[in-house]
Each structure stands twice: as structure tokens, then as C-alpha cells.
PDB file of all heavy atoms in Angstrom:
ATOM      1  N   SER A  17     -42.172-127.974 -25.173  1.00 98.00           N
ATOM      2  CA  SER A  17     -42.759-126.848 -25.922  1.00 98.00           C
ATOM      3  C   SER A  17     -41.777-125.696 -25.978  1.00 98.00           C
ATOM      4  O   SER A  17     -40.812-125.625 -25.175  1.00 98.00           O
ATOM      5  CB  SER A  17     -44.051-126.458 -25.274  1.00 98.00           C
ATOM      6  OG  SER A  17     -43.828-125.829 -24.000  1.00 98.00           O
ATOM      7  N   ARG A  18     -42.075-124.754 -26.856  1.00 98.00           N
ATOM      8  CA  ARG A  18     -41.267-123.543 -26.906  1.00 98.00           C
ATOM      9  C   ARG A  18     -41.327-122.788 -25.589  1.00 98.00           C
ATOM     10  O   ARG A  18     -40.316-122.242 -25.143  1.00 98.00           O
ATOM     11  CB  ARG A  18     -41.786-122.665 -28.022  1.00 98.00           C
ATOM     12  CG  ARG A  18     -40.990-121.355 -28.210  1.00 98.00           C
ATOM     13  CD  ARG A  18     -41.573-120.526 -29.353  1.00 98.00           C
ATOM     14  NE  ARG A  18     -41.482-121.230 -30.601  1.00 98.00           N
ATOM     15  CZ  ARG A  18     -41.935-120.742 -31.778  1.00 98.00           C
ATOM     16  NH1 ARG A  18     -42.507-119.516 -31.793  1.00 98.00           N
ATOM     17  NH2 ARG A  18     -41.816-121.456 -32.892  1.00 98.00           N
ATOM     18  N   GLU A  19     -42.499-122.755 -24.958  1.00 98.00           N
ATOM     19  CA  GLU A  19     -42.605-122.060 -23.698  1.00 98.00           C
ATOM     20  C   GLU A  19     -41.789-122.713 -22.595  1.00 98.00           C
ATOM     21  O   GLU A  19     -41.175-122.050 -21.780  1.00 98.00           O
ATOM     22  CB  GLU A  19     -44.083-122.019 -23.278  1.00 98.00           C
ATOM     23  CG  GLU A  19     -44.987-121.109 -24.132  1.00 98.00           C
ATOM     24  CD  GLU A  19     -45.300-121.737 -25.524  1.00 98.00           C
ATOM     25  OE1 GLU A  19     -45.146-122.969 -25.682  1.00 98.00           O
ATOM     26  OE2 GLU A  19     -45.655-120.958 -26.391  1.00 98.00           O
ATOM     27  N   GLU A  20     -41.767-124.060 -22.606  1.00 98.00           N
ATOM     28  CA  GLU A  20     -40.974-124.784 -21.596  1.00 98.00           C
ATOM     29  C   GLU A  20     -39.477-124.523 -21.798  1.00 98.00           C
ATOM     30  O   GLU A  20     -38.727-124.310 -20.822  1.00 98.00           O
ATOM     31  CB  GLU A  20     -41.259-126.290 -21.655  1.00 98.00           C
ATOM     32  CG  GLU A  20     -42.637-126.613 -21.086  1.00 98.00           C
ATOM     33  CD  GLU A  20     -43.027-128.060 -21.368  1.00 98.00           C
ATOM     34  OE1 GLU A  20     -42.632-128.629 -22.418  1.00 98.00           O
ATOM     35  OE2 GLU A  20     -43.755-128.642 -20.497  1.00 98.00           O
ATOM     36  N   LYS A  21     -39.035-124.552 -23.009  1.00 98.00           N
ATOM     37  CA  LYS A  21     -37.616-124.225 -23.306  1.00 98.00           C
ATOM     38  C   LYS A  21     -37.294-122.827 -22.897  1.00 98.00           C
ATOM     39  O   LYS A  21     -36.225-122.554 -22.295  1.00 98.00           O
ATOM     40  CB  LYS A  21     -37.323-124.480 -24.762  1.00 98.00           C
ATOM     41  CG  LYS A  21     -37.415-125.920 -25.201  1.00 98.00           C
ATOM     42  CD  LYS A  21     -37.231-126.024 -26.733  1.00 98.00           C
ATOM     43  CE  LYS A  21     -37.409-127.465 -27.166  1.00 98.00           C
ATOM     44  NZ  LYS A  21     -37.286-127.597 -28.709  1.00 98.00           N
ATOM     45  N   GLY A  22     -38.188-121.925 -23.161  1.00 98.00           N
ATOM     46  CA  GLY A  22     -37.976-120.524 -22.775  1.00 98.00           C
ATOM     47  C   GLY A  22     -37.861-120.334 -21.326  1.00 98.00           C
ATOM     48  O   GLY A  22     -37.057-119.545 -20.797  1.00 98.00           O
ATOM     49  N   ARG A  23     -38.721-121.052 -20.558  1.00 98.00           N
ATOM     50  CA  ARG A  23     -38.682-120.955 -19.102  1.00 98.00           C
ATOM     51  C   ARG A  23     -37.348-121.498 -18.550  1.00 98.00           C
ATOM     52  O   ARG A  23     -36.798-120.909 -17.634  1.00 98.00           O
ATOM     53  CB  ARG A  23     -39.845-121.674 -18.473  1.00 98.00           C
ATOM     54  CG  ARG A  23     -39.916-121.546 -16.971  1.00 98.00           C
ATOM     55  CD  ARG A  23     -41.189-122.142 -16.406  1.00 98.00           C
ATOM     56  NE  ARG A  23     -41.209-122.024 -14.966  1.00 98.00           N
ATOM     57  CZ  ARG A  23     -42.208-122.419 -14.188  1.00 98.00           C
ATOM     58  NH1 ARG A  23     -43.249-123.053 -14.748  1.00 98.00           N
ATOM     59  NH2 ARG A  23     -42.152-122.255 -12.882  1.00 98.00           N
ATOM     60  N   LEU A  24     -36.883-122.604 -19.141  1.00 98.00           N
ATOM     61  CA  LEU A  24     -35.626-123.154 -18.728  1.00 98.00           C
ATOM     62  C   LEU A  24     -34.498-122.204 -18.978  1.00 98.00           C
ATOM     63  O   LEU A  24     -33.547-122.082 -18.137  1.00 98.00           O
ATOM     64  CB  LEU A  24     -35.451-124.513 -19.437  1.00 98.00           C
ATOM     65  CG  LEU A  24     -34.362-125.488 -18.927  1.00 98.00           C
ATOM     66  CD1 LEU A  24     -34.488-125.735 -17.435  1.00 98.00           C
ATOM     67  CD2 LEU A  24     -34.467-126.802 -19.708  1.00 98.00           C
ATOM     68  N   ASP A  25     -34.517-121.548 -20.099  1.00 98.00           N
ATOM     69  CA  ASP A  25     -33.469-120.555 -20.426  1.00 98.00           C
ATOM     70  C   ASP A  25     -33.540-119.366 -19.462  1.00 98.00           C
ATOM     71  O   ASP A  25     -32.493-118.927 -18.985  1.00 98.00           O
ATOM     72  CB  ASP A  25     -33.671-120.063 -21.853  1.00 98.00           C
ATOM     73  CG  ASP A  25     -33.358-121.090 -22.895  1.00 98.00           C
ATOM     74  OD1 ASP A  25     -32.616-122.054 -22.579  1.00 98.00           O
ATOM     75  OD2 ASP A  25     -33.830-120.958 -24.033  1.00 98.00           O
ATOM     76  N   ARG A  26     -34.729-118.858 -19.258  1.00 98.00           N
ATOM     77  CA  ARG A  26     -34.899-117.617 -18.477  1.00 98.00           C
ATOM     78  C   ARG A  26     -34.684-117.837 -16.968  1.00 98.00           C
ATOM     79  O   ARG A  26     -33.929-117.182 -16.319  1.00 98.00           O
ATOM     80  CB  ARG A  26     -36.302-117.069 -18.761  1.00 98.00           C
ATOM     81  CG  ARG A  26     -36.588-115.738 -18.001  1.00 98.00           C
ATOM     82  CD  ARG A  26     -38.046-115.337 -18.163  1.00 98.00           C
ATOM     83  NE  ARG A  26     -38.916-116.241 -17.415  1.00 98.00           N
ATOM     84  CZ  ARG A  26     -39.829-117.003 -18.038  1.00 98.00           C
ATOM     85  NH1 ARG A  26     -39.973-117.006 -19.330  1.00 98.00           N
ATOM     86  NH2 ARG A  26     -40.619-117.804 -17.291  1.00 98.00           N
ATOM     87  N   ASP A  27     -35.447-118.798 -16.446  1.00 98.00           N
ATOM     88  CA  ASP A  27     -35.468-119.029 -14.974  1.00 98.00           C
ATOM     89  C   ASP A  27     -34.373-119.979 -14.493  1.00 98.00           C
ATOM     90  O   ASP A  27     -33.972-119.938 -13.337  1.00 98.00           O
ATOM     91  CB  ASP A  27     -36.832-119.543 -14.565  1.00 98.00           C
ATOM     92  CG  ASP A  27     -37.953-118.569 -14.837  1.00 98.00           C
ATOM     93  OD1 ASP A  27     -37.668-117.344 -14.953  1.00 98.00           O
ATOM     94  OD2 ASP A  27     -39.074-119.030 -15.000  1.00 98.00           O
ATOM     95  N   GLY A  28     -33.956-120.851 -15.367  1.00 98.00           N
ATOM     96  CA  GLY A  28     -32.971-121.887 -14.963  1.00 98.00           C
ATOM     97  C   GLY A  28     -33.561-123.149 -14.399  1.00 98.00           C
ATOM     98  O   GLY A  28     -32.823-124.042 -14.024  1.00 98.00           O
ATOM     99  N   PHE A  29     -34.868-123.256 -14.390  1.00 98.00           N
ATOM    100  CA  PHE A  29     -35.512-124.467 -13.870  1.00 98.00           C
ATOM    101  C   PHE A  29     -36.852-124.637 -14.560  1.00 98.00           C
ATOM    102  O   PHE A  29     -37.459-123.712 -15.123  1.00 98.00           O
ATOM    103  CB  PHE A  29     -35.716-124.418 -12.366  1.00 98.00           C
ATOM    104  CG  PHE A  29     -36.673-123.367 -11.879  1.00 98.00           C
ATOM    105  CD1 PHE A  29     -38.029-123.717 -11.679  1.00 98.00           C
ATOM    106  CD2 PHE A  29     -36.273-122.083 -11.658  1.00 98.00           C
ATOM    107  CE1 PHE A  29     -38.914-122.742 -11.233  1.00 98.00           C
ATOM    108  CE2 PHE A  29     -37.173-121.103 -11.207  1.00 98.00           C
ATOM    109  CZ  PHE A  29     -38.527-121.447 -11.004  1.00 98.00           C
ATOM    110  N   LEU A  30     -37.313-125.941 -14.586  1.00 98.00           N
ATOM    111  CA  LEU A  30     -38.556-126.276 -15.279  1.00 98.00           C
ATOM    112  C   LEU A  30     -39.232-127.415 -14.552  1.00 98.00           C
ATOM    113  O   LEU A  30     -38.732-128.540 -14.572  1.00 98.00           O
ATOM    114  CB  LEU A  30     -38.287-126.672 -16.736  1.00 98.00           C
ATOM    115  CG  LEU A  30     -39.481-127.132 -17.551  1.00 98.00           C
ATOM    116  CD1 LEU A  30     -40.440-125.981 -17.763  1.00 98.00           C
ATOM    117  CD2 LEU A  30     -39.054-127.692 -18.886  1.00 98.00           C
ATOM    118  N   PRO A  31     -40.406-127.158 -13.947  1.00 98.00           N
ATOM    119  CA  PRO A  31     -41.131-128.274 -13.335  1.00 98.00           C
ATOM    120  C   PRO A  31     -41.828-129.115 -14.448  1.00 98.00           C
ATOM    121  O   PRO A  31     -42.449-128.518 -15.397  1.00 98.00           O
ATOM    122  CB  PRO A  31     -42.179-127.572 -12.474  1.00 98.00           C
ATOM    123  CG  PRO A  31     -41.758-126.129 -12.401  1.00 98.00           C
ATOM    124  CD  PRO A  31     -40.999-125.867 -13.653  1.00 98.00           C
ATOM    125  N   LEU A  32     -41.736-130.421 -14.336  1.00 98.00           N
ATOM    126  CA  LEU A  32     -42.389-131.307 -15.248  1.00 98.00           C
ATOM    127  C   LEU A  32     -43.366-132.148 -14.387  1.00 98.00           C
ATOM    128  O   LEU A  32     -43.014-133.211 -13.848  1.00 98.00           O
ATOM    129  CB  LEU A  32     -41.358-132.189 -15.933  1.00 98.00           C
ATOM    130  CG  LEU A  32     -40.307-131.504 -16.805  1.00 98.00           C
ATOM    131  CD1 LEU A  32     -39.291-132.491 -17.269  1.00 98.00           C
ATOM    132  CD2 LEU A  32     -40.994-130.796 -17.997  1.00 98.00           C
ATOM    133  N   PRO A  33     -44.661-131.721 -14.293  1.00 98.00           N
ATOM    134  CA  PRO A  33     -45.575-132.423 -13.431  1.00 98.00           C
ATOM    135  C   PRO A  33     -46.002-133.714 -14.061  1.00 98.00           C
ATOM    136  O   PRO A  33     -46.021-133.962 -15.263  1.00 98.00           O
ATOM    137  CB  PRO A  33     -46.751-131.463 -13.347  1.00 98.00           C
ATOM    138  CG  PRO A  33     -46.649-130.598 -14.536  1.00 98.00           C
ATOM    139  CD  PRO A  33     -45.212-130.463 -14.873  1.00 98.00           C
ATOM    140  N   GLY A  34     -46.323-134.735 -13.183  1.00 97.00           N
ATOM    141  CA  GLY A  34     -46.893-135.987 -13.658  1.00 97.00           C
ATOM    142  C   GLY A  34     -45.930-136.923 -14.383  1.00 97.00           C
ATOM    143  O   GLY A  34     -46.390-137.846 -15.021  1.00 97.00           O
ATOM    144  N   ILE A  35     -44.651-136.731 -14.196  1.00 98.00           N
ATOM    145  CA  ILE A  35     -43.719-137.654 -14.796  1.00 98.00           C
ATOM    146  C   ILE A  35     -43.942-139.066 -14.184  1.00 98.00           C
ATOM    147  O   ILE A  35     -43.889-140.123 -14.822  1.00 98.00           O
ATOM    148  CB  ILE A  35     -42.267-137.240 -14.583  1.00 98.00           C
ATOM    149  CG1 ILE A  35     -41.981-135.908 -15.342  1.00 98.00           C
ATOM    150  CG2 ILE A  35     -41.283-138.327 -15.006  1.00 98.00           C
ATOM    151  CD1 ILE A  35     -41.997-136.035 -16.848  1.00 98.00           C
ATOM    152  N   LEU A  36     -44.170-139.083 -12.902  1.00 98.00           N
ATOM    153  CA  LEU A  36     -44.495-140.314 -12.148  1.00 98.00           C
ATOM    154  C   LEU A  36     -45.911-140.104 -11.535  1.00 98.00           C
ATOM    155  O   LEU A  36     -46.273-139.022 -11.163  1.00 98.00           O
ATOM    156  CB  LEU A  36     -43.504-140.552 -11.001  1.00 98.00           C
ATOM    157  CG  LEU A  36     -42.039-140.666 -11.320  1.00 98.00           C
ATOM    158  CD1 LEU A  36     -41.269-140.811 -10.034  1.00 98.00           C
ATOM    159  CD2 LEU A  36     -41.756-141.836 -12.271  1.00 98.00           C
ATOM    160  N   SER A  37     -46.591-141.234 -11.452  1.00 98.00           N
ATOM    161  CA  SER A  37     -47.843-141.143 -10.666  1.00 98.00           C
ATOM    162  C   SER A  37     -47.448-141.110  -9.159  1.00 98.00           C
ATOM    163  O   SER A  37     -46.337-141.406  -8.777  1.00 98.00           O
ATOM    164  CB  SER A  37     -48.717-142.371 -10.912  1.00 98.00           C
ATOM    165  OG  SER A  37     -48.075-143.551 -10.394  1.00 98.00           O
ATOM    166  N   ARG A  38     -48.406-140.649  -8.324  1.00 97.00           N
ATOM    167  CA  ARG A  38     -48.158-140.653  -6.889  1.00 97.00           C
ATOM    168  C   ARG A  38     -47.764-142.068  -6.389  1.00 97.00           C
ATOM    169  O   ARG A  38     -46.920-142.244  -5.557  1.00 97.00           O
ATOM    170  CB  ARG A  38     -49.353-140.077  -6.157  1.00 97.00           C
ATOM    171  CG  ARG A  38     -49.125-139.867  -4.646  1.00 97.00           C
ATOM    172  CD  ARG A  38     -50.327-139.207  -4.014  1.00 97.00           C
ATOM    173  NE  ARG A  38     -50.363-137.811  -4.466  1.00 97.00           N
ATOM    174  CZ  ARG A  38     -49.715-136.793  -3.834  1.00 97.00           C
ATOM    175  NH1 ARG A  38     -48.978-137.080  -2.742  1.00 97.00           N
ATOM    176  NH2 ARG A  38     -49.801-135.563  -4.284  1.00 97.00           N
ATOM    177  N   GLU A  39     -48.472-143.077  -6.938  1.00 97.00           N
ATOM    178  CA  GLU A  39     -48.223-144.434  -6.500  1.00 97.00           C
ATOM    179  C   GLU A  39     -46.804-144.902  -6.945  1.00 97.00           C
ATOM    180  O   GLU A  39     -46.146-145.571  -6.179  1.00 97.00           O
ATOM    181  CB  GLU A  39     -49.280-145.387  -7.120  1.00 97.00           C
ATOM    182  CG  GLU A  39     -50.682-145.187  -6.602  1.00 97.00           C
ATOM    183  CD  GLU A  39     -51.360-143.915  -7.111  1.00 97.00           C
ATOM    184  OE1 GLU A  39     -50.944-143.409  -8.162  1.00 97.00           O
ATOM    185  OE2 GLU A  39     -52.293-143.439  -6.411  1.00 97.00           O
ATOM    186  N   HIS A  40     -46.421-144.531  -8.158  1.00 97.00           N
ATOM    187  CA  HIS A  40     -45.078-144.911  -8.615  1.00 97.00           C
ATOM    188  C   HIS A  40     -44.021-144.247  -7.791  1.00 97.00           C
ATOM    189  O   HIS A  40     -43.016-144.862  -7.362  1.00 97.00           O
ATOM    190  CB  HIS A  40     -44.929-144.468 -10.114  1.00 97.00           C
ATOM    191  CG  HIS A  40     -43.708-145.002 -10.797  1.00 97.00           C
ATOM    192  ND1 HIS A  40     -43.452-144.761 -12.119  1.00 97.00           N
ATOM    193  CD2 HIS A  40     -42.672-145.705 -10.317  1.00 97.00           C
ATOM    194  CE1 HIS A  40     -42.310-145.335 -12.470  1.00 97.00           C
ATOM    195  NE2 HIS A  40     -41.775-145.894 -11.362  1.00 97.00           N
ATOM    196  N   ALA A  41     -44.205-142.948  -7.458  1.00 97.00           N
ATOM    197  CA  ALA A  41     -43.271-142.260  -6.593  1.00 97.00           C
ATOM    198  C   ALA A  41     -43.163-142.941  -5.241  1.00 97.00           C
ATOM    199  O   ALA A  41     -42.083-143.103  -4.694  1.00 97.00           O
ATOM    200  CB  ALA A  41     -43.710-140.825  -6.432  1.00 97.00           C
ATOM    201  N   GLY A  42     -44.288-143.395  -4.723  1.00 96.00           N
ATOM    202  CA  GLY A  42     -44.282-144.074  -3.436  1.00 96.00           C
ATOM    203  C   GLY A  42     -43.524-145.400  -3.485  1.00 96.00           C
ATOM    204  O   GLY A  42     -42.798-145.758  -2.529  1.00 96.00           O
ATOM    205  N   ARG A  43     -43.649-146.127  -4.603  1.00 97.00           N
ATOM    206  CA  ARG A  43     -42.904-147.380  -4.726  1.00 97.00           C
ATOM    207  C   ARG A  43     -41.432-147.137  -4.741  1.00 97.00           C
ATOM    208  O   ARG A  43     -40.646-147.887  -4.179  1.00 97.00           O
ATOM    209  CB  ARG A  43     -43.377-148.135  -5.965  1.00 97.00           C
ATOM    210  CG  ARG A  43     -44.789-148.686  -5.872  1.00 97.00           C
ATOM    211  CD  ARG A  43     -45.081-149.699  -6.975  1.00 97.00           C
ATOM    212  NE  ARG A  43     -44.945-149.193  -8.323  1.00 97.00           N
ATOM    213  CZ  ARG A  43     -45.916-148.565  -8.979  1.00 97.00           C
ATOM    214  NH1 ARG A  43     -47.113-148.457  -8.410  1.00 97.00           N
ATOM    215  NH2 ARG A  43     -45.757-148.134 -10.198  1.00 97.00           N
ATOM    216  N   LEU A  44     -41.016-146.078  -5.430  1.00 96.00           N
ATOM    217  CA  LEU A  44     -39.574-145.783  -5.457  1.00 96.00           C
ATOM    218  C   LEU A  44     -39.067-145.423  -4.047  1.00 96.00           C
ATOM    219  O   LEU A  44     -37.979-145.862  -3.641  1.00 96.00           O
ATOM    220  CB  LEU A  44     -39.300-144.604  -6.425  1.00 96.00           C
ATOM    221  CG  LEU A  44     -39.509-144.893  -7.918  1.00 96.00           C
ATOM    222  CD1 LEU A  44     -39.273-143.602  -8.724  1.00 96.00           C
ATOM    223  CD2 LEU A  44     -38.599-146.019  -8.419  1.00 96.00           C
ATOM    224  N   GLY A  45     -39.842-144.675  -3.343  1.00 94.00           N
ATOM    225  CA  GLY A  45     -39.444-144.316  -1.972  1.00 94.00           C
ATOM    226  C   GLY A  45     -39.361-145.546  -1.048  1.00 94.00           C
ATOM    227  O   GLY A  45     -38.452-145.697  -0.277  1.00 94.00           O
ATOM    228  N   THR A  46     -40.291-146.438  -1.230  1.00 94.00           N
ATOM    229  CA  THR A  46     -40.287-147.696  -0.438  1.00 94.00           C
ATOM    230  C   THR A  46     -39.059-148.511  -0.752  1.00 94.00           C
ATOM    231  O   THR A  46     -38.413-149.071   0.172  1.00 94.00           O
ATOM    232  CB  THR A  46     -41.563-148.519  -0.693  1.00 94.00           C
ATOM    233  OG1 THR A  46     -42.726-147.795  -0.276  1.00 94.00           O
ATOM    234  CG2 THR A  46     -41.514-149.863   0.022  1.00 94.00           C
TER     235      THR A  46
END
């Protein structure tokens, strides 16, 4: 979104929640 791009420009970082499910994240860790 425009807001996400703006935050990345301004703050230098952008959290993207839910890219992985908690279960998927756990499988990668395992």
C-alpha cells in the first residue's frame, strides 16, 4: 500500500505480519 511504502521510506523498516503461519514458522525452525 501507499502507507506501507511511505513507512519504509520514512522509518527504514516495515513489518509484514502473517507472511507465515505460526505452524509454518515452526516447521522452518525444526
Side-chain angles (χ1 to χ4, degrees):
S17 69
R18 181 179 299 177
E19 290 75 19
E20 289 171 327
K21 294 174 183 177
R23 183 173 181 181
L24 194 51
D25 290 338
R26 181 188 69 244
D27 298 335
F29 66 94
L30 176 67
L32 299 174
I35 295 292
L36 305 175
S37 68
R38 185 174 290 272
E39 293 73 22
H40 191 177
R43 290 195 299 273
L44 291 177
T46 298

